[in-house]
Amino acid sequence: MVELKTDTSIDAMYEAGQVVGRALTAVQKAADVGVSLLELDEVAREVLRGAGAGSPFLGYRPSFAPTPFPAVICASVNDAIVHGIPTRYRLRDGDLVSIDCGAELGGWAGDSAISFTVGEPRPDDVRLIETAERALAAAIDAAVVGNRVGDIAHAIGTVCREAGYGIPEGFGGHGIGRRMHEDPGVPNEGRPGRGYPLRHGMALAIEPMLIASGRDGYHAAADGWTLRTDDGSRAAHVEHTVAILESGPRILTAR
Ligand code: MG
Ligand code: MG
């Protein structure tokens, strides 16, 4: 069931989204060569604590997961696409890092992700991240009343495929509200004019995931959480929580 939020609820979701945005900004600022993924998780925990916010990630255990998630961020490095568990791994020069973070504030959830490089970036990674951001922007442009979920999916898929990148099937965006994952699902590829109609008061987490090689294959790593590309090529993941309003899309996790 797709829940429509009141304007007051959307304002409350914006407050939760702003905490996520601040956490991601702090994590990106702290990320450098030699900094560990656990240290980045601690940076995000401090922002959430300071805001009086909870984490929808910590202890989360969907059906596919062998263990509850142990952190407030996902930290996915290089060939990891999403759901990376923060470890003692220390970032190296040229790493491509994707950080996903959520917050719960006042009973509402926010969910957002960024990709960036540390140290000297590889040109291929810069292009991959820029394309992911362009796909997200195109998707947000399509997140308007009167369109359908398929228009968002089509916008993402078109940008990614035209740039020659792969898309991991089966993972994508979602409705969001009091819970982090609500209906409807928002695939990263699809047919325009199809799927659930977009209405005033819907809130969606839109999250393109791109694989540099152009192939789509991925698998779960030994930890049961981290999704890695089958061919070892690098991946990028960006996400915003967006409200669909008569006045146009509102990015609730804007930084
Ligand atoms: Mg997320
Ligand atoms: Mg999400």
Side-chain angles (χ1 to χ4, degrees):
M1 200 191 83
V2 175
E3 188 203 4
L4 300 180
K5 281 82 178 174
T6 64
D7 293 353
T8 307
S9 299
I10 294 293
D11 286 342
M13 286 188 71
Y14 179 81
E15 297 306 320
Q18 289 308 290
V19 176
V20 181
R22 289 206 301 276
L24 289 175
T25 298
V27 167
Q28 182 172 8
K29 194 167 169 230
D32 205 348
V33 174
V35 175
S36 79
L37 302 180
L38 277 171
E39 287 165 353
L40 296 182
D41 185 59
E42 188 50 44
V43 168
R45 284 180 195 245
E46 276 194 36
V47 173
L48 266 54
R49 262 198 302 269
S55 168
F57 288 24
L58 190 63
Y60 185 58
R61 191 175 183 184
S63 55
F64 66 79
T67 52
F69 197 77
V72 306
I73 59 168
C74 298
S76 306
V77 181
N78 296 337
D79 64 326
I81 308 166
V82 288
H83 302 165
I85 295 177
T87 63
R88 287 190 294 265
Y89 175 83
R90 293 189 180 280
L91 293 171
R92 296 175 188 164
D93 189 44
D95 275 350
L96 192 174
V97 188
S98 298
I99 302 290
D100 196 343
C101 185
E104 285 167 340
L105 188 72
W108 296 98
D111 186 10
S112 183
I114 47 173
S115 285
F116 54 86
T117 56
V118 294
E120 186 65 35
R122 300 183 186 185
D124 285 355
D125 290 343
V126 173
R127 179 174 170 266
L128 182 68
I129 293 167
E130 283 175 355
T131 307
E133 289 169 348
R134 201 153 46 82
L136 179 56
I140 293 169
D141 284 347
V144 295
V145 174
N147 267 358
R148 289 173 179 263
V149 166
D151 294 300
I152 296 174
H154 180 70
I156 296 168
T158 301
V159 171
C160 297
R161 294 298 186 193
E162 280 178 357
Y165 295 130
I167 300 170
E169 196 190 337
F171 286 88
H174 47 90
I176 180 169
R178 294 204 172 271
R179 289 174 299 121
M180 178 171 60
H181 290 136
E182 296 185 353
D183 290 335
V186 184
N188 285 334
E189 194 162 32
R191 295 167 68 182
R194 299 297 184 96
Y196 200 88
L198 304 182
R199 297 204 175 93
H200 178 84
M202 281 175 69
L204 302 175
I206 303 173
E207 44 184 315
M209 303 164 194
L210 282 64
I211 299 176
S213 65
R215 288 184 284 272
D216 299 349
Y218 65 92
H219 60 276
D223 63 22
W225 273 102
T226 314
L227 296 187
R228 293 190 182 281
T229 62
D230 280 348
D231 58 13
S233 73
R234 293 186 166 197
H237 172 225
V238 294
E239 176 180 26
H240 270 310
T241 297
V242 179
I244 291 155
L245 305 173
E246 290 290 355
S247 54
R250 181 182 182 192
I251 303 174
L252 304 179
T253 47
R255 295 183 296 276

